[in-house]
């Protein structure tokens, strides 16, 4: 299997090279040249198997033989052993048709751990086999950075630089990043929003001189391996609820479009999916795009679901690539400069509407949903999950199709928003006590590419002359 750029540039790469490269050299995103498929019999055989077995089935299809199954299995097993729940991503029924899939039982209490714990081990393995070091530069609105810090801390071959928007993540999220004492983790508080952080990371990726000097890599969902690992829980959820003989719908709290793209790819691989619901907060570019066909980024507006305070949703490029019939030229023309936005064609819009629905929740809706879910079920949900639940409730489905809302974070990461919604302060898990106590360490930087590049050049051990 080869990985090609959505913008058509560069040469195709194998799985290991694409994983280390992160973003394609032309600024596009890597996608597999074809989607591997599961037969119905293979899906039937996977139903009832542990999460780890499903993850291996997914990742081995994307690794294209470059990593042995025994190596993948060892890394997946070690990654998932960090989870506190035996089922890893348990399903909880909250209504006749409605389920919540809890993705927050990993070390940092957000869905990012599912992929990040595995990816860190795979990257470490690939780098050690090549006798190489890497500099990982990642943008975060709170959760990716925390998950990356935890997964990559202390890894000798890797220096990790995390860019987060100063003042725009929750206290718990910030502390999860800034209290990591390991010297290979560098946390930068950027004077800007998440889109500024992601813009800087992408600019550094395509600056080939810088990129090669620091051996740059990335672990945002622009890295295909992140998306691939996230496909597993769609299989896990659907097969637990009667798949592949029954269609299932998923409502996905959405910002960078990585999580829901994994659901789309699961469908392309043969998993019967009725609908994928794009659930946005007031930064609703994707809901607007689904409704109007026009993708027009604005400025980020802070919300009570800060991890989704994103206006430039990177992974949407991968969907547009497929919607356009894999026309890299048209993707390049539309994505290279987003300042005026772009239109989906009528055909692209119709194709998108066949699989995707969408919804939006502002802060008042989010608080109301947190309160309603608590009153109806006793479940305390985080604000991102509440956004997903609102969109789920508004989506009509054929009889017999279950709706699974992805619970993407633990409520204790956002105690203020949760208390405002349901009047209860969520209990803080013991694992977060250290985070709230330990001293913080971060460097404040302006939202400028040069300032971030200089900091990385001064601090990464991978820098060559
Ligand atoms: C808690 C939480 N929910 C939802 C999202 C949105 O996921 P994605 O950016 O993959 O769309 C994020 C950030 O990625 C998140 O941290
Ligand atoms: N919500 C994310 C933003 C980055 O998303 P990613 O999935 O592309 O890494 C965060 O919490 O950092």
């Amino acid at each position: 299997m080869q990985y090609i750029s959505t913008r058509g540039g560069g040469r195709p790469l194998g799985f290991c090279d694409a994983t280390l490269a992160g973003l394609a050299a032309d600024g596009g995103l890597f996608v597999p040249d074809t989607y591997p498929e599961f037969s119905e019999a293979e899906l039937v055989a996977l139903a009832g198997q542990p999460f780890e077995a499903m993850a291996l089935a997914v990742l081995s299809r994307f690794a294209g033989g470059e990593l042995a199954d025994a190596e993948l299995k060892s890394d997946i097993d070690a990654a998932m052993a960090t989870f506190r729940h035996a089922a890893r991503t348990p399903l909880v029924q909250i209504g006749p048709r409605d389920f919540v899939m809890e993705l927050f039982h990993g070390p940092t209490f957000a869905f990012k751990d599912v992929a990040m714990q595995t990816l860190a081990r795979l990257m470490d393995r690939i780098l050690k086999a090549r006798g190489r070091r890497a500099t990982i530069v990642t943008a975060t609105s709170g959760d990716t950075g925390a998950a990356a810090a935890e997964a990559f801390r202390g890894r000798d071959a890797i220096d990790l630089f995390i860019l987060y928007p100063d003042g725009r993540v929750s206290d718990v999220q910030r502390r999860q990043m800034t209290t990591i004492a390991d010297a290979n983790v560098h946390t930068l508080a950027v004077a800007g929003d998440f889109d500024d952080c992601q813009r800087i990371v992408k600019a550094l990726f395509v600056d080939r001189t810088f990129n090669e000097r620091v051996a740059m890599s990335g672990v945002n969902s622009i890295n295909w391996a992140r998306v691939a690992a996230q496909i597993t829980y769609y299989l896990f959820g659907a097969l637990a609820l009667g798949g592949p003989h029954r269609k299932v719908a998923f409502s996905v709290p959405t910002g960078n479009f990585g999580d829901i793209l994994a659901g789309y790819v699961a469908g392309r691989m043969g998993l019967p999916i009725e609908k994928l619901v794009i659930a946005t907060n007031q930064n609703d570019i994707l809901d607007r795009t689904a409704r109007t066909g026009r993708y027009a980024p604005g400025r980020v507006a802070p919300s009570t679901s800060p991890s989704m305070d994103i206006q430039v949703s990177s992974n949407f490029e991968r969907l547009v690539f497929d919607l356009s019939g894999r026309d890299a030229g048209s993707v390049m023309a539309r994505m290279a400069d987003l300042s005026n936005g772009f239109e989906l064609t009528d055909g692209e819009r119709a194709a998108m509407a066949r699989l995707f629905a969408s919804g939006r929740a502002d802060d008042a809706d989010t608080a109301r949903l947190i309160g309603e879910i608590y009153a109806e079920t006793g479940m305390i949900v985080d604000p991102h999950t509440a956004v997903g639940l609102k969109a789920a409730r508004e989506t009509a489905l054929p009889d017999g199709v279950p709706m699974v809302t992805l619970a993407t974070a633990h409520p204790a990461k956002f105690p203020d928003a949760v208390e405002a919604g349901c009047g209860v302060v969520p209990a803080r898990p013991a694992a977060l006590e250290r985070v709230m106590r330990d001293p913080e360490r971060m460097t404040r930087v302006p939202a400028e590419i040069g300032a971030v590049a200089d900091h990385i050049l001064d601090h990464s051990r991978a820098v060559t002359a």
Side-chain angles (χ1 to χ4, degrees):
M1 170 164 300
Q2 294 283 290
Y3 290 83
I4 55 174
S5 167
T6 49
R7 298 188 188 177
R11 61 187 173 85
L13 299 181
F15 178 77
C16 294
D17 284 333
T19 298
L20 290 187
L23 192 71
D26 62 355
L29 277 71
F30 284 114
V31 287
D33 52 5
T34 52
Y35 291 114
E37 283 180 31
F38 287 110
S39 66
E40 188 173 299
E42 285 170 328
L43 290 173
V44 168
L46 277 175
Q49 301 239 11
F51 187 95
E52 285 83 342
M54 295 191 197
L56 178 60
V58 171
L59 283 179
S60 64
R61 279 165 172 75
F62 286 108
E66 291 193 3
L67 294 168
D69 275 6
E71 295 173 314
L72 289 171
K73 180 175 170 8
S74 153
D75 290 343
I76 291 166
D77 287 352
M80 299 316 295
T82 65
F83 276 54
R84 297 174 304 276
H85 199 293
R88 312 311 185 203
T89 59
L91 277 169
V92 181
Q93 186 159 17
I94 59 165
R97 146 203 113 152
D98 281 282
F99 295 78
V100 165
M101 184 154 55
E102 295 180 349
L103 302 179
F104 52 69
H105 293 287
T108 67
F109 301 87
F111 79 95
K112 311 284 180 173
D113 291 320
V114 177
M116 201 68 81
Q117 284 291 329
T118 304
L119 179 58
R121 289 169 171 82
L122 293 179
M123 283 180 122
D124 210 28
R125 177 183 291 285
I126 299 168
L127 287 168
K128 284 190 176 136
R130 296 180 177 192
R132 274 191 49 195
R133 285 186 177 283
T135 304
I136 293 176
V137 188
T138 195
T140 186
S141 50
D143 289 327
T144 293
E150 183 61 40
F152 286 95
R153 63 191 295 177
R155 293 190 187 273
D156 195 41
I158 293 162
D159 281 290
L160 171 68
F161 292 83
I162 303 166
L163 279 61
Y164 77 88
D166 201 1
R168 293 181 183 226
V169 301
S170 80
D171 287 352
V172 176
Q173 287 178 311
R174 188 193 68 249
R175 287 185 145 275
Q176 284 182 309
M177 298 183 274
T178 58
T179 58
I180 298 282
D182 300 70
N184 71 323
V185 175
H186 309 263
T187 307
L188 305 184
V190 176
D193 56 32
F194 171 79
D195 286 348
D196 292 317
C197 299
Q198 187 160 240
R199 173 179 53 77
I200 293 169
V201 171
K202 285 186 172 177
L204 294 176
F205 263 117
V206 295
D207 176 341
R208 297 316 294 170
T209 309
F210 175 85
N211 185 315
E212 280 160 27
R213 228 182 129 198
V214 306
M216 184 166 166
S217 192
V219 293
N220 281 110
S221 54
I222 52 179
N223 189 319
W224 180 262
R226 272 275 313 278
V227 174
Q230 289 175 198
I231 292 167
T232 308
Y233 44 76
Y234 288 91
L235 252 68
F236 188 80
L239 297 182
L241 293 175
H245 305 303
R246 183 196 200 194
K247 284 190 166 185
V248 176
F250 292 90
S251 178
V252 187
T254 303
N256 224 5
F257 206 74
D259 206 5
I260 196 161
L261 188 94
Y264 161 77
V265 178
R268 295 296 303 254
M269 293 175 78
L271 190 71
I273 294 180
E274 173 71 27
K275 274 281 173 245
L276 290 170
V277 184
I278 301 165
T280 68
N281 67 21
Q282 57 234 43
N283 295 288
D284 58 356
I285 177 168
L286 291 166
D287 174 47
R288 282 186 281 117
T289 305
R291 283 186 291 105
T292 68
R294 177 160 175 70
Y295 183 90
R299 285 303 290 178
V300 168
S303 78
T304 54
S305 45
S307 301
M308 304 197 305
D309 290 348
I310 298 174
Q311 287 278 346
V312 179
S313 298
S314 291
N315 281 283
F316 194 59
E317 177 162 342
R318 286 182 165 127
L319 182 66
V320 173
F321 183 61
D322 280 1
L323 292 174
S324 72
R326 299 206 141 194
D327 179 350
S330 99
V331 173
M332 178 65 148
R334 288 185 278 186
M335 290 293 177
D337 177 9
L338 287 174
S339 49
N340 292 317
F342 66 83
E343 310 280 341
L344 295 177
T345 65
D346 288 347
E348 290 168 346
R349 226 179 125 187
M352 187 173 168
R354 277 195 285 281
L355 181 62
F356 291 92
S358 74
R360 171 192 198 275
D362 61 20
D363 284 354
D365 295 324
T366 303
R368 181 170 51 76
L369 255 289
I370 292 172
E372 282 178 17
I373 296 290
Y374 182 64
E376 290 165 20
T377 70
M379 179 182 268
I380 300 179
V381 297
D382 100 289
H384 305 79
T385 307
V387 171
L389 285 163
K390 175 171 183 281
R393 287 186 165 193
E394 291 168 355
T395 303
L397 292 175
D399 283 351
V401 174
M403 171 68 85
V404 178
T405 297
L406 302 191
T408 49
H410 191 289
K413 292 189 91 164
F414 308 95
D416 298 341
V418 170
E419 186 181 13
C422 67
V424 179
V425 180
R428 185 183 294 149
L432 286 178
E433 292 302 337
R434 177 202 66 73
V435 165
M436 300 313 286
R437 203 182 46 229
D438 283 0
E440 296 190 73
R441 179 173 64 89
M442 97 279 279
T443 305
R444 290 206 158 78
V445 291
E448 289 166 12
I449 299 163
V452 174
D454 287 347
H455 185 88
I456 294 170
L457 287 168
D458 284 348
H459 292 87
S460 173
R461 293 167 299 167
V463 175
T464 50

